[in-house]
Amino acid sequence: MALIVQKFGGTSVGTVERIEQVAEKVKKFREAGDDIVVVVSAMSGETNRLIGLAKQIMEQPVPRELDVMVSTGEQVTIALLSMALIKRGVPAVSYTGNQVRILTDSAHTKARILSIDDANIRADLKAGRVVVVAGFQGVDEHGNITTLGRGGSDTTGVALAAALKADECQIYTDVDGVYTTDPRVVPQARRLDKITFEEMLEMASLGSKVLQIRSVEFAGKYNVPLRVLHSFQEGPGTLITLDEEESMEQPIISGIAFNRDEAKLTIRGVPDTPGVAFKILGPISAANIEVDMIVQNVSHDNTTDFTFTVHRNDYLAALEILKQTAANIGAREATGDTNIAKVSIVGVGMRSHAGVASRMFEALAKETINIQMISTSEIKVSVVIEEKYLELAVRALHTAFELDAPARQGE
Ligand code: ASP
Ligand code: MG
């Protein structure tokens, strides 16, 4: 008998019919003898609808009140799912974050979980009940309702699985697993049987939207086996784990991530003196703008060019600041470009294989795609290219790293 935490996302509970289907599924697991804790999101579109309401009152809703409101989305689904279970003769009980006591800090709309009181849940499981918990929400030490950031129900699921030392945390969603890349871009993309936390974290932060990044961090930290599955189709899904099997069959690259969320800024003709990077990036970070990739050119006549990327939402603000900096430090000009995209190859196999980056550059060169910036880490290589070549680049890399072929071993 296993203890399983199952999280169902918004589309999986998007209608009453689907909630009934979820109840059927949970019932089957229960009848097989497993202890089940279910975490649900709000019905699809509900959180957006609620935020929209708030914005009709004020453009920047007061965070505390916003949390009071958006947390109702999940409260509706836990009650409906519990009813659907009880109707089927499956004893069930619903809990809000506050009722479980999922204690968080007080950072409204992006709170972090501090601790989970598992006493109620354990008592219910012992009494044979399915426990249905509202995702995405908690309570701070003063009793204020908090929420965990968009997509936060994933984190609730993982955190509960960690607290309960569950055998597995299953994330049910509208895709049947984690893919080598977005199948809308590469039709030959394949579902991965397995991926490591580290790789998944890179994939998620680089643009793959299957799981909330924080939930992956959490799962890695507490070593919670995590499985992404389709809510209404049978299949093994993708298991996300710690272990990096050493296998000849193991591909070097597990996946290709990409995003169009960044913009590039360049400051030219900067007098190259110690402290230049700080002078340029200091004011950017003081404005709370996060910088991703950075390149400083070799200097030439004692001046240098400096390029970095920021999130597109921060582009205009960053450009404004950079122009000011250019004037202050006597640089020639500050310019920017939003027509860029970032493409990354990710894989723990890179650790034991040389030449991965050059293979990537070769594949891009064959398609005459110009690389504007490069950054690497132990398990990924990212490049910035012109946005219009994004899909071509992803397809070329998918083929170059043999991801189209069924190379990955089963679990
Ligand atoms: N309902 C919340 C959202 O839409 C949390 C979640 O679905 O994970 O972001
Ligand atoms: Mg989600």
Side-chain angles (χ1 to χ4, degrees):
M1 197 178 84
L3 169 54
I4 303 174
V5 174
Q6 303 186 316
K7 181 261 172 178
F8 289 89
T11 50
S12 312
V13 293
T15 62
V16 167
E17 293 72 40
R18 291 208 166 165
I19 291 174
E20 303 258 25
Q21 273 178 276
V22 168
E24 280 298 324
K25 187 164 195 119
V26 173
K27 182 180 177 196
K28 281 206 192 100
F29 273 91
R30 185 70 201 108
E31 283 170 351
D34 293 331
D35 280 340
I36 309 289
V37 174
V38 187
V39 174
V40 283
S41 291
M43 295 168 82
S44 60
E46 180 63 7
T47 308
N48 287 339
R49 186 186 74 84
L50 292 168
I51 292 171
L53 285 178
K55 288 200 165 166
Q56 287 178 41
I57 303 272
M58 54 200 311
E59 192 37 48
Q60 304 269 12
V62 180
R64 183 189 181 280
E65 306 312 323
L66 190 62
D67 277 352
V68 169
M69 186 181 60
V70 293
S71 64
T72 62
E74 274 73 11
Q75 190 167 337
V76 170
T77 31
I78 54 170
L80 290 173
L81 180 58
S82 296
M83 290 176 205
L85 286 165
I86 292 165
K87 184 172 86 175
R88 286 169 171 76
V90 180
V93 57
S94 69
Y95 286 102
T96 63
N98 187 14
Q99 287 173 316
V100 173
R101 207 137 197 275
I102 296 177
L103 185 71
T104 72
D105 61 20
S106 302
H108 285 290
T109 76
K110 48 177 187 295
R112 285 189 178 260
I113 296 175
L114 300 175
S115 66
I116 293 182
D117 183 347
D118 63 358
N120 286 334
I121 296 180
R122 286 206 186 274
D124 283 312
L125 290 175
K126 212 167 165 205
R129 284 186 276 269
V130 169
V131 180
V132 184
V133 179
F136 177 56
Q137 56 179 264
V139 62
D140 75 0
E141 57 174 336
H142 310 293
N144 298 302
I145 295 173
T146 55
T147 64
L148 309 179
R150 298 308 304 269
S153 298
D154 292 343
T155 299
T156 305
V158 172
L160 274 169
L164 295 164
K165 300 190 175 53
D167 295 286
E168 192 165 284
C169 179
Q170 302 176 339
I171 307 281
Y172 287 93
T173 179
D174 51 3
V175 291
D176 66 351
V178 178
Y179 274 67
T180 49
T181 194
D182 188 335
R184 284 169 301 190
V185 172
V186 183
Q188 302 90 325
R190 286 179 304 110
R191 179 185 56 79
L192 296 162
D193 287 327
K194 256 187 185 180
I195 187 170
T196 66
F197 290 120
E198 249 186 311
E199 289 170 319
M200 191 61 220
L201 203 54
E202 290 286 6
M203 293 289 280
S205 33
L206 293 167
S208 157
K209 296 194 173 56
V210 188
L211 289 170
Q212 196 202 30
I213 292 170
R214 205 184 273 179
S215 73
V216 183
E217 280 168 4
F218 212 104
K221 189 164 162 200
Y222 294 97
N223 194 10
V224 177
L226 198 58
R227 193 183 289 275
V228 175
L229 300 138
H230 196 288
S231 302
F232 306 117
Q233 289 168 14
E234 292 302 315
T238 299
L239 182 66
I240 307 163
T241 58
L242 268 186
D243 70 303
E244 269 172 46
E245 292 166 282
E246 286 299 331
S247 142
M248 295 298 285
E249 261 73 40
Q250 190 86 2
I252 300 168
I253 297 305
S254 294
I256 298 169
F258 56 85
N259 74 51
R260 299 176 172 92
D261 300 340
E262 291 184 25
K264 186 178 82 168
L265 295 120
T266 301
I267 180 166
R268 289 200 176 78
V270 181
D272 194 8
T273 53
V276 165
F278 176 64
K279 276 188 205 138
I280 295 168
L281 296 178
I284 301 283
S285 91
N288 273 320
I289 296 173
E290 247 180 86
V291 170
D292 181 29
M293 288 162 90
I294 304 172
V295 171
Q296 183 181 341
N297 285 353
V298 174
S299 63
H300 201 68
D301 306 328
N302 295 323
T303 67
T304 187
D305 299 343
F306 197 95
T307 302
F308 58 95
T309 64
V310 299
H311 196 280
R312 254 183 225 190
N313 294 343
D314 294 324
Y315 172 66
L316 288 177
L319 186 59
E320 205 47 52
I321 294 168
L322 197 63
K323 285 190 164 150
Q324 190 58 54
T325 304
N328 292 348
I329 65 177
R332 197 166 71 240
E333 61 170 354
T335 58
D337 183 0
T338 55
N339 294 319
I340 60 155
K342 185 164 85 169
V343 182
S344 311
I345 55 173
V346 175
V348 290
M350 257 184 240
R351 288 199 181 111
S352 47
H353 286 81
V356 176
S358 71
R359 193 157 149 196
M360 177 187 202
F361 305 152
E362 184 187 7
L364 296 173
K366 269 194 195 144
E367 302 293 342
T368 52
I369 298 171
N370 187 38
I371 299 171
Q372 302 179 3
M373 299 174 84
I374 301 168
S375 83
T376 65
S377 80
E378 223 191 327
I379 63 161
K380 78 151 195 239
V381 183
S382 300
V383 296
V384 166
I385 59 172
E386 201 177 329
E387 184 177 6
K388 70 177 181 202
Y389 297 121
L390 174 62
E391 306 205 338
L392 178 61
V394 175
R395 275 186 223 124
L397 293 170
H398 203 266
T399 303
F401 285 99
E402 289 161 21
L403 293 173
D404 300 342
R408 194 141 183 138
Q409 285 287 291
E411 287 156 282

